[in-house]
């Protein structure tokens, strides 16, 4: 009897093995629309280069005030090379190592404090953020009351408001703030903005301000940076065609959060902000035929590739890149690092 049972069990196992061999394992098809442009902008690329080149030229450790850009993968990669991240200068225990200010910019008090300690510092502030700083200073010199459109507590907003004495800049976060704002003086008003805002939200706020205050001065060129605008436009292009969208970026990245919001508003009800492939919740994509993928301006391309490969493991993927703009902008490095960046056999000016 026992032998018969064993034979039946063996036959069952063999039958299951045969069925698995003759029944192919098929993956559901899915189409991925990949936004272009996406990922690193010129300001982020420059900031990361500054840390890399400083480590190469001066050796570790190099101190960085605040996250150089808002991306955990980037920060950890630089930390592994010898960068030490601090929130304030008084956390730096020595005075003889380079200090780098992040791409978001810093209040004027920070370089002043660095000079008092005779710290050697390199400013990785994005040139487009520096442009907004200069606008604020110029408006103040012309005795204008300044309104900054932005998000309270964001490092870029802290840095911009910190270019002037406390109280000189009023923060406008929402359309309702714009409706309720009351000038403190009889001076002419001027508005400036954070560089990583939603284009549509900012337009609404500006429209309200200009209707209420027709003579308000505005930037000669939009403060929202080209990369933010281009990435949002690309999301608007593909969102109506997608069952779901992924924005690769950090939860403290303003431009990444705005991309997710733009995707939702443009017609994709399921838009997710994730940092790594390990954060994908696959049930969210059950039954999806087309998904879109983009990346915030501080997210490296390797993270996009990681997510695409993860989808290939779960689906039969068809990949299509949707290009809505070409970007060829680059920014100069600080003069102290240009020699380190120059290829062998060339001068920094070449």
């Amino acid at each position: 009897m026992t032998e018969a049972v064993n034979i039946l069990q063996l036959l069952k196992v063999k039958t299951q093995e045969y069925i698995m061999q003759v029944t192919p394992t098929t993956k559901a098809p899915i189409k991925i629309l990949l936004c272009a442009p996406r990922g690193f902008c010129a300001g982020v690329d420059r900031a990361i280069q500054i840390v890399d080149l400083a480590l190469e030229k001066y050796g570790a450790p190099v101190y960085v005030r605040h996250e150089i850009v808002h991306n955990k993968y980037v920060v950890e990669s630089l930390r592994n090379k010898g960068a030490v991240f601090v929130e304030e200068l008084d956390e730096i225990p020595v005075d003889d190592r380079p200090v780098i200010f992040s791409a978001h910019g810093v209040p004027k008090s920070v370089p002043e404090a660095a000079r008092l300690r005779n710290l050697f510092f390199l400013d990785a502030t994005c040139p487009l953020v520096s442009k907004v700083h200069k606008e604020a200073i110029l408006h103040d010199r012309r005795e204008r009351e300044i309104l900054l459109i932005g998000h309270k507590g964001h490092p870029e907003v802290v840095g911009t408001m910190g270019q002037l004495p406390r109280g000189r800049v009023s923060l406008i976060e929402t359309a309702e703030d714009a409706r309720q704002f009351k000038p403190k003086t009889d001076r002419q008003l001027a508005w400036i903005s954070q560089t990583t805002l939603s284009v549509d939200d900012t337009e609404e706020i500006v429209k309200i301000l200009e209707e209420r205050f027709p003579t308000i001065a505005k930037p000669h060129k939009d403060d929202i940076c080209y990369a933010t605008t281009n990435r949002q436009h690309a999301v608007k292009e593909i969102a109506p065609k997608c069952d779901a969208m992924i924005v690769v970026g950090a939860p403290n990245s303003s431009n990444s959060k705005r991309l997710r919001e733009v995707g939702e508003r443009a017609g994709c009800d399921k838009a997710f902000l994730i940092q790594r492939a390990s954060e994908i919740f696959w049930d969210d994509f059950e039954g999806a035929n087309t998904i879109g993928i983009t990346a915030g301006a501080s997210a490296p391309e390797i993270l996009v590739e990681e997510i695409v490969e993860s989808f290939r493991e779960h689906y039969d993927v068809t990949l299509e890149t949707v290009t809505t703009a070409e970007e060829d902008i680059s920014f100069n490095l600080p003069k102290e690092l240009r020699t380190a960046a120059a290829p062998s056999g060339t001068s920094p000016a070449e």
Side-chain angles (χ1 to χ4, degrees):
M1 183 69 178
T2 302
E3 185 177 351
V5 170
N6 289 339
I7 292 172
L8 285 172
Q9 289 177 337
L10 180 61
L11 286 171
K12 185 177 180 180
V13 170
K14 293 297 183 183
T15 302
Q16 289 175 337
E17 289 177 353
Y18 175 76
I19 291 171
M20 291 177 66
Q21 289 174 1
V22 300
T23 306
T25 302
T26 58
K27 298 177 182 178
I30 199 166
K31 185 173 187 178
I32 295 179
L33 299 180
L34 202 56
C35 285
R38 64 181 177 276
F40 279 1
C41 63
V44 165
D45 189 57
R46 173 181 179 269
I48 295 169
Q49 279 192 70
I50 287 172
V51 180
D52 274 330
L53 290 170
L55 286 165
E56 179 183 321
K57 183 172 183 177
Y58 304 110
V62 166
Y63 290 88
V64 184
R65 185 188 179 277
H66 193 66
E67 292 184 347
I68 188 68
V69 297
H70 283 157
N71 186 273
K72 183 178 180 180
Y73 180 91
V74 171
V75 169
E76 288 302 317
S77 296
L78 294 172
R79 183 178 281 123
N80 290 337
K81 295 178 183 179
V84 178
F85 292 88
V86 298
E87 287 303 307
E88 299 297 343
L89 297 183
D90 58 16
E91 298 173 43
I92 300 173
V94 296
D95 294 344
D96 60 350
R97 300 303 304 160
V99 181
I100 299 171
F101 302 150
S102 82
H104 308 100
V106 295
K108 190 171 284 188
S109 59
V110 173
E112 289 173 354
R115 291 187 188 98
L116 286 174
R117 280 184 60 179
N118 290 318
L119 294 173
F120 169 60
F121 62 86
L122 296 163
D123 191 355
T125 301
C126 173
L128 298 180
V129 174
S130 296
K131 164 187 170 290
V132 179
H133 291 182
K134 292 172 185 174
E135 287 173 350
I137 293 167
L138 182 59
H139 286 313
D140 188 62
R141 286 176 182 167
R142 292 176 176 173
E143 298 189 341
R144 293 169 176 161
E145 187 173 343
I146 303 165
L147 283 67
L148 170 61
I149 304 170
H151 296 296
K152 184 178 181 179
H154 189 277
E156 184 183 329
V157 166
V158 173
T160 299
M161 296 184 77
Q163 298 307 303
L164 298 169
R166 184 183 297 273
R168 297 285 182 86
V169 181
S170 297
L171 184 62
I172 304 293
E173 294 192 82
T174 65
E176 187 59 26
D177 287 346
R179 294 187 189 97
Q180 298 297 325
F181 173 76
K182 295 179 180 179
K184 299 175 184 177
T185 67
D186 58 359
R187 294 177 176 182
Q188 183 187 8
L189 300 176
W191 69 264
I192 56 178
S193 83
Q194 185 179 335
T195 64
T196 56
L197 300 177
S198 160
V199 173
D200 294 336
D201 288 348
T202 305
E203 284 180 352
E204 181 186 7
I205 291 171
V206 169
K207 183 179 179 182
I208 293 168
L209 291 174
E210 292 183 343
E211 285 177 351
R212 291 189 63 207
F213 310 106
T215 62
I216 192 170
K218 61 184 180 181
H220 293 295
K221 187 176 181 181
D222 284 348
D223 287 340
I224 295 178
C225 83
Y226 76 94
T228 297
T229 302
N230 288 347
R231 280 149 190 72
Q232 290 181 19
H233 179 68
V235 167
K236 289 179 183 178
E237 179 70 22
I238 71 165
K241 307 170 187 175
C242 295
D243 301 306
M245 285 200 68
I246 288 175
V247 176
V248 185
N252 61 337
S253 166
S254 175
N255 75 86
S256 298
K257 290 194 290 186
R258 302 295 83 77
L259 286 174
R260 193 204 66 77
E261 294 167 0
V262 168
E264 270 191 350
R265 293 177 184 177
C268 183
D269 294 334
K270 297 169 71 174
F272 307 100
L273 177 63
I274 68 170
Q275 299 187 80
R276 301 292 300 267
S278 58
E279 296 179 5
I280 297 173
F281 186 56
W282 293 105
D283 286 353
D284 289 333
F285 302 94
E286 186 76 31
N289 296 311
T290 303
I291 68 163
I293 298 179
T294 188
S298 52
E301 183 64 12
I302 191 172
L303 301 185
V304 176
E305 293 171 355
E306 176 186 274
I307 287 168
V308 171
E309 286 307 308
S310 189
F311 267 90
R312 291 190 192 279
E313 293 173 5
H314 289 79
Y315 294 91
D316 180 12
V317 171
T318 301
L319 193 63
E320 178 184 337
T321 299
V322 179
T323 303
T324 54
E326 299 288 346
E327 295 179 351
D328 58 1
I329 294 174
S330 62
F331 296 127
N332 288 331
L333 293 165
K335 62 181 183 297
E336 297 90 344
L337 298 176
R338 289 175 197 166
T339 301
S344 178
T346 67
S347 71
E350 288 181 330

